[in-house]
């Protein structure tokens, strides 16, 4: 795809607090939105309408002192949708939404775009492969561990550290920092990613029987990596011997 036909993109990252019994209900506490030029479009605190029973401060960095002067959820959602509308009108090639495990963000925003507009760095395989390559080069995993790590969803912290060479989430999470890092990851692989999506959509809308090959489907997170049972026991032994590297989570 040419630069002219690439869609615009905005990256979203939300921090949640827990409401209800035992804090099991996730509610929006802070949101950051960054565009594909790394411009910060929104960074706002939200005052929950429900009583907060768990601020999840260790990860969210949120406290009552930060939220009590925040805007209402309805106000924040309206401002977010105004940003979406502005970028939709501005772009002649569409708009995509970038995030890491982004379904959680959409859930607390109580809004979801069409699936074709979602770009989740958590599931896009080329980013996972770049992470594995970096870990192998640094000697932090062995070649026998490679397949196991390819099966795991990487954390944004690991992708940022090993692919972007950026250290984030050293303490509590900062949503604008996370949104920026996620956008930087997307921009690294945007051309190929959008070409794959374009080809898939063209095939879906075509009466022909042409299909994406397995590697292309795998890159889009739509294929299961073949599992070599003969290497299963050996892989377990190697994992026990190798260094532990956490790549799960957000």
């Amino acid at each position: 795809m040419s630069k002219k036909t690439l869609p615009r993109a905005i990256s979203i990252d939300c921090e949640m607090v827990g409401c209800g019994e035992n804090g099991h209900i996730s509610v929006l506490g802070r949101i950051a939105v960054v565009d594909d030029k790394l411009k910060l479009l929104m960074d706002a605190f939200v005052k929950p309408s429900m009583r907060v029973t768990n601020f999840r401060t260790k990860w969210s960095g949120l406290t009552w002192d930060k939220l009590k002067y925040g805007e209402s959820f309805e106000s924040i959602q309206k401002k977010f949708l105004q940003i979406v509308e502005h970028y939709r009108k501005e772009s002649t090639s569409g708009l995509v939404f970038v995030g890491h495990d982004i379904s959680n963000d959409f859930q607390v925003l109580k809004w979801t775009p069409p699936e074709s507009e979602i770009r989740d760095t958590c599931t896009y395989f080329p980013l996972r492969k770049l992470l594995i390559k970096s870990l192998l080069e640094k000697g932090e995993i062995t070649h026998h561990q490679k397949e196991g790590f390819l099966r795991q969803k990487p954390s944004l912290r690991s992708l940022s550290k090993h692919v972007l060479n950026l250290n984030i989430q050293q303490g509590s999470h900062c949503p604008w920092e996370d949104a920026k890092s996620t956008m930087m990851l997307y921009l690294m692989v945007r051309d190929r990613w959008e070409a794959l999506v374009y080809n898939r959509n063209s095939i879906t809308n075509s009466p022909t029987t042409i299909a994406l090959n397995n590697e292309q489907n795998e890159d889009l997170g739509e294929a299961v990596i073949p599992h070599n049972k003969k290497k299963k026991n050996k892989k377990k032994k190697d994992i026990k011997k190798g260094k532990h590297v956490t790549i799960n989570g957000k």
Side-chain angles (χ1 to χ4, degrees):
M1 296 179 70
S2 68
K3 297 291 183 182
K4 292 182 179 180
T5 58
L6 287 171
R8 291 301 307 270
I10 58 175
S11 177
I12 306 162
D13 190 85
C14 298
E15 295 302 329
M16 300 86 162
V17 293
C19 296
E21 186 177 357
N22 299 319
H24 289 161
I25 302 174
S26 292
V27 174
L28 182 63
R30 186 179 177 186
I31 178 175
V33 182
V34 173
D35 73 5
D36 47 15
K37 296 179 181 178
L38 303 183
K39 178 182 177 182
L40 180 63
L41 305 176
M42 174 187 280
D43 183 10
F45 292 101
V46 184
K47 184 178 181 180
S49 58
M50 300 174 65
R51 186 174 73 88
V52 178
T53 51
N54 186 351
F55 285 94
R56 305 174 185 175
T57 307
K58 181 178 179 180
W59 298 277
S60 70
L62 299 175
T63 62
W64 177 242
D65 285 339
K66 293 181 179 180
L67 297 185
K68 63 183 179 181
Y69 298 116
E71 298 182 55
S72 69
F73 170 80
E74 291 75 17
S75 174
I76 292 298
Q77 186 191 54
K78 181 179 180 180
K79 289 181 178 180
F80 169 73
L81 293 177
Q82 287 174 340
I83 291 173
V84 172
E85 183 180 4
H86 170 76
Y87 275 77
R88 284 198 191 282
K89 289 181 178 179
E90 183 184 82
S91 174
T92 58
S93 303
L95 176 66
V96 297
F97 299 86
V98 181
H100 194 81
D101 217 358
I102 197 171
S103 61
N104 295 319
D105 302 300
F106 291 141
Q107 184 176 359
V108 294
L109 273 171
K110 298 181 180 179
W111 177 87
T112 305
E115 186 177 352
S116 60
E117 296 179 348
I118 297 173
R119 304 291 182 268
D120 197 331
T121 54
C122 187
T123 59
Y124 187 55
F125 262 77
L127 287 173
R128 202 174 301 188
K129 292 173 182 176
L130 287 173
L131 171 61
I132 299 302
K133 179 182 178 183
S134 176
L135 291 172
L136 286 169
E137 290 174 348
K138 295 174 182 177
E140 296 194 26
I141 63 171
T142 68
H143 282 280
H144 295 297
Q145 290 175 287
K146 177 181 176 180
E147 184 179 307
F149 276 91
L150 278 172
R151 289 174 172 274
Q152 300 179 47
K153 290 183 178 181
S155 69
L156 179 58
R157 180 177 177 176
S158 290
L159 284 171
S160 297
K161 179 179 180 180
H162 297 289
V163 178
L164 297 176
N165 199 29
L166 289 177
N167 289 315
I168 65 170
Q169 300 176 354
Q170 297 301 295
S172 58
H173 297 191
C174 173
W176 69 260
E177 184 179 65
D178 289 357
K180 180 180 177 181
S181 298
T182 306
M183 180 58 75
M184 291 172 69
L185 288 166
Y186 167 74
L187 293 175
M188 282 186 67
V189 294
R190 176 172 62 173
D191 289 0
R192 183 184 179 191
W193 197 341
E194 294 306 330
L196 281 171
V197 172
Y198 177 82
N199 290 338
R200 180 187 61 183
N201 292 342
S202 298
I203 291 166
T204 301
N205 297 324
S206 171
T208 65
T209 56
I210 300 173
L212 296 180
N213 62 41
N214 188 62
E215 182 180 0
Q216 291 171 322
N217 279 320
E218 179 184 289
D219 285 346
L220 289 171
E222 296 176 355
V224 177
I225 302 173
H227 185 60
N228 190 335
K229 293 183 179 180
K230 292 182 180 180
K231 294 183 179 180
K232 184 176 181 180
N233 293 331
K234 181 175 176 55
K235 183 183 71 175
K236 286 184 177 179
K237 292 179 181 178
D238 288 325
I239 290 175
K240 289 180 180 179
K241 294 179 182 178
K243 298 179 181 178
H244 177 69
V245 181
T246 301
I247 67 171
N248 283 327
K250 187 168 182 176

